Amino acid sequence: MPHTPLDPARLTVDLIRCASVTPEEGGALQVLQKVLTEAGFFCTRVDRGGVANLFARWGEKRAARSFGFNGHTDVVPVGDVAAWSVPPFDGVEKDGMLWGRGATDMKSGVAAFVAAAVDFVRDTPPDGAVILTITGDEEGDAVDGTVALLDWMEGNGERMTACLVGEPTCPERMGEMIKIGRRGSLSAWFTLTGVQGHSAYPHRAKNPLPAMARLMDRLASHTLDEGTAHFDPSTLAVVTIDTGNPAVNVIPAQCRATVNIRFNDAHDSAKLMDWMQRELDKVSEEFGVSGEMQVKVSGESFLTPPGALSDLVAHAVETETGVVPVLSTTGGTSDARFVKEHCPVVEFGLVGQNMHQVDERVEVAQIHQLKAIYARILRDFFA
């Protein structure tokens, strides 16, 4: 007897109504665990460091092949509630749109792949396993989210043959872009320390401000690369220079600055850190000030070369939308940067124009279309 298809839009509403602002679980994973357990998935919570995560598998643990989906149910804060046209956690549907925080990023994507997976295993049980990894920490530090899930999988003999991350990937039109890689990201905090003094007697002080200006200019004016086969040129942005000095007659003792680098596969973070340290040392010596640098690496660049996985996803997208997607590495970071250490991974999801904005919303029709794409991917993968 045929099963009633799982409505991804209705499931998205249920998820939006869970106020799961990072790191709060808000009940979202509980909603999904109930749905998946009833469909025959083995489910277990993989919570770590105060972060809630869910692992779900249909099929045998050591299946010869398995297809995975990855996503998150945590959302960014709503901002000014009074600026919203609808309450951000009500999941209101009007004018063919579904409104609420997480509607685009990415409760609709999670609902679409959960609905596709549930219908698929009920109607055409595959020769293999379907694995879902869903985190509550993608919008936060991401230390105990997808990383915790992958660590748990490694320790428990769970394996995905390939994985699709359901983040929004399309700039303006449904189906137009698949992400096959991402740039790396790092931030560096610099502190230059001199000697405080009177601005009328600069020879008695060691002013760190000109030194910092020189350092930031050297870093920002340097051409990191001209781009690579699948990536645009790497970029470095100076995001702040601070002294905290309100007095016009005082040369301050310290100056601080921060830069952010988005880098392609011509670099790794270690080489970039070495380069910045060399520049810092040069400026410190030149101006007679001391310098310190602290760095946080959010992720290395990675690429899943065009091939079987991207072809599989592209075929499903074109079949369901009539749009031929481009393969891209643009944008910020995502949890695909962690999954790529486990198995080949690509990203495909909705149009992301208003994610993180006030009045975040998604076309209801797109949610159903996304489910159809994910369902076709599963059918084709296990065909």
Side-chain angles (χ1 to χ4, degrees), residues 23 70 89 92 123 220 231 238 337 350 355:
N70 172 266
F89 294 115
V92 173
D123 297 336
F231 286 88
V238 179
R337 70 189 189 273
L350 298 171
M355 56 184 176

Side-chain angles (χ1 to χ4, degrees), residues 37-317:
T37 300
E38 291 175 352
F41 281 75
F42 161 76
C43 294
T44 185
R45 287 282 289 270
V46 186
D47 297 0
R48 191 174 80 179
V51 171
N53 303 295
L54 178 65
F55 173 87
R57 170 179 37 81
W58 188 97
E60 295 299 321
K61 182 176 183 177
R62 302 188 186 279
R65 55 181 176 166
S66 57
F67 193 88
F69 288 96
N70 172 266
H72 65 92
T73 53
D74 63 312
V75 297
V76 297
V78 300
D80 182 5
V81 176
W84 285 71
S85 301
V86 300
F89 294 115
D90 276 12
V92 173
E93 183 179 336
K94 64 175 183 176
D95 303 324
M97 308 289 287
L98 182 56
W99 302 62
R101 176 57 83 225
T104 301
D105 187 12
M106 60 163 289
K107 290 182 174 180
S108 51
V110 171
F113 68 61
V114 167
V118 166
D119 287 357
F120 177 65
V121 300
R122 279 175 168 169
D123 297 336
T124 53
D127 179 19
V130 178
I131 293 175
L132 311 181
T133 54
I134 306 167
T135 179
D137 189 36
E138 195 274 344
E139 301 290 6
D141 292 336
V143 173
D144 294 309
T146 292
V147 173
L149 284 160
L150 294 171
D151 288 347
W152 180 89
M153 290 174 65
E154 184 71 23
N156 287 272
E158 301 281 0
R159 194 78 195 171
M160 296 182 288
T161 306
C163 183
L164 186 149
V165 177
E167 288 280 2
T169 58
C170 300
E172 297 179 0
R173 185 171 57 146
M174 185 65 175
E176 65 182 331
M177 185 174 289
I178 298 169
K179 298 293 179 71
I180 60 170
R182 293 278 188 164
R183 296 179 297 175
S185 176
L186 67 81
S187 296
W189 290 264
F190 297 92
T191 301
L192 293 181
T193 303
V195 177
Q196 182 174 318
H198 197 298
S199 59
Y201 305 95
H203 59 286
R204 296 176 179 170
K206 289 185 179 180
N207 194 340
L209 273 72
M212 187 64 80
R214 181 69 57 83
L215 176 61
M216 291 299 104
D217 177 63
R218 286 184 178 177
L219 296 180
S221 62
H222 178 73
T223 299
L224 291 167
D225 56 72
E226 300 293 343
T228 64
H230 295 284
F231 286 88
D232 292 334
S234 302
T235 61
L236 181 149
V238 179
V239 296
T240 187
I241 300 177
D242 303 294
T243 62
N245 177 29
V248 297
N249 60 346
V250 174
I251 293 172
Q254 277 193 338
C255 184
R256 296 177 175 84
T258 309
V259 304
N260 179 259
I261 302 179
R262 302 300 172 114
F263 56 96
N264 60 32
D265 55 351
H267 309 273
D268 60 41
S269 61
K271 292 180 180 178
L272 291 169
M273 291 163 61
D274 287 344
W275 164 65
M276 290 189 294
Q277 186 65 54
R278 290 195 301 272
E279 294 297 325
L280 174 60
D281 293 343
K282 290 177 186 176
V283 167
S284 297
E285 183 178 358
E286 179 182 351
F287 285 85
V289 298
S290 62
E292 296 180 1
M293 179 181 73
Q294 294 183 325
V295 178
K296 178 182 178 181
V297 180
S298 299
E300 301 288 345
S301 65
F302 76 93
L303 176 73
T304 300
L309 181 55
S310 57
D311 289 348
L312 171 77
V313 178
H315 176 263
V317 171

